[in-house]
Amino acid sequence: MPTDVAARVIANRPLSSDYNVLALAAPGIAAAALPGQFVMLRPGTGGDPLLRRPFSVFEILRDRSGAATGLTILSKRIGPSTSLLYDAREGQRVACLGPLGRPFTIVDPPSRAWMVAGGVGLAPFATLAQTLRAGGVPSTLFYGARSGAELFYLDFFRDLGVELVLTTEDGSVGERGRVVAPLDRRLSSLAPADPVMLYACGPEGMLAATARTAMQYGRACEVSVERIMGCGLGGCYSCVVPMRGGDGAFHHVRSCLAGPVLRADQISWDKD
Ligand SMILES: Cc1cc2nc3c(=O)[nH]c(=O)nc-3n(C[C@H](O)[C@H](O)[C@H](O)COP(=O)(O)OP(=O)(O)OC[C@H]3O[C@@H](n4cnc5c(N)ncnc54)[C@H](O)[C@@H]3O)c2cc1C
Ligand code: FES
């Protein structure tokens, strides 16, 4: 059951001129959140921006006893709300509603898990990687960004034993180009009897390319879609995604309720 709190900003760490990690005191939401779920945040106190914005739960903060004390979000500044989140000060309050949405399906060994992240699409994978590690699932993160300066938290994933496959558009770190290229190569060389689950989050073009690659090799894939969300609760229909039904016809589902994690092979990628 989601709860709505005026969460206190515990810390705000800039990672670059656009990215920051904001820590919020929201113990109830943090304790209930599952990998892939999100919160709706409103940082301002006035009416602008009026609507909350969706953010993946990035990390769960815990005290020494292991009890959840809060959560962080990884934010990329692109407009008014993310600018306020970038500039947020310790002690300030942020309206925080969550946890919301459908989480990732967690696989068990012997299946491997391959996470595919583009830019700020890294956000849902910190908690997913921790959960997979706890379950003993061998994990790989395919992580692409524009440049090496926009690849974050690499040591966090290395410390969890996650294999990293990095790509950058400018070639400054890892392979030059898009993250789907090494994913395709890996899938082509994986024995068909070796089970693997793909999880993807990032720009829609990257999600579509990942979904097509997964389908080409007959691999299960879940994507976390990032549609514009007005409410996060199913009331406004701003977040719909065209999905194929069992009869082959497509219909629209609200990604805040049915998602944000959806089966890649059921999304109608060429329709909107
Ligand atoms: C489930 C979910 C989880 C998300 N998790 C994160 C996260 O962890 N970190 C993060 O930085 N962002 C995340 N986002 C995206 C984030 O919600 C938007 O960046 C935010 O709403 C922008 O708000 P703003 O007021 O700063 O800019 P706005 O003025 O609202 O938007 C600026 C521009 O970006 C466009 N835009 C806004 N939202 C989206 C979107 N979802 N997709 C494509 N274009 C968009 C707008 O049309 C506008 O042109 C997530 C989105 C969803 C749906
Ligand atoms: S965000 Fe309002 S219905 Fe999904």
Side-chain angles (χ1 to χ4, degrees), residues 92-182:
Q92 192 180 318
R93 299 278 169 171
V94 173
C96 178
L97 169 69
L100 298 165
R102 199 176 77 85
F104 289 114
T105 305
I106 307 298
V107 290
D108 295 311
S111 181
R112 317 155 189 248
W114 290 0
M115 296 168 277
V116 188
V120 77
L122 180 72
F125 293 135
T127 56
L128 179 63
Q130 287 172 324
T131 303
L132 292 166
R133 154 93 181 222
V137 179
S139 302
T140 301
L141 173 67
F142 297 80
Y143 180 19
R146 281 184 301 192
S147 74
E150 292 193 356
L151 290 169
F152 305 112
Y153 272 62
L154 301 183
D155 285 340
F156 173 95
F157 287 95
R158 283 191 189 109
D159 289 348
L160 286 171
V162 177
E163 180 201 10
L164 294 180
V165 179
L166 305 175
T167 64
T168 50
E169 285 173 28
D170 66 2
S172 52
V173 172
E175 180 177 326
R176 180 192 292 272
R178 301 280 164 87
V179 74
V180 181

Side-chain angles (χ1 to χ4, degrees), residues 40 228-240 254-257:
M40 293 293 289
I228 292 174
M229 290 189 179
C231 69
L233 293 166
C236 72
Y237 286 73
S238 68
C239 65
V240 294
R254 287 164 289 178
S255 60
C256 64
L257 294 182

Side-chain angles (χ1 to χ4, degrees), residues 53-56 74-76 78-82 120 123 226-228:
R53 303 289 198 266
F55 293 88
S56 299
L74 171 67
S75 175
K76 182 181 182 189
I78 63 160
S81 293
T82 46
V120 77
E226 294 199 353
R227 286 291 158 120
I228 292 174

Side-chain angles (χ1 to χ4, degrees), residues 233-254:
L233 293 166
C236 72
Y237 286 73
S238 68
C239 65
V240 294
V241 173
M243 301 276 290
R244 249 181 271 278
D247 55 357
F250 79 91
H251 56 283
H252 286 93
V253 303
R254 287 164 289 178

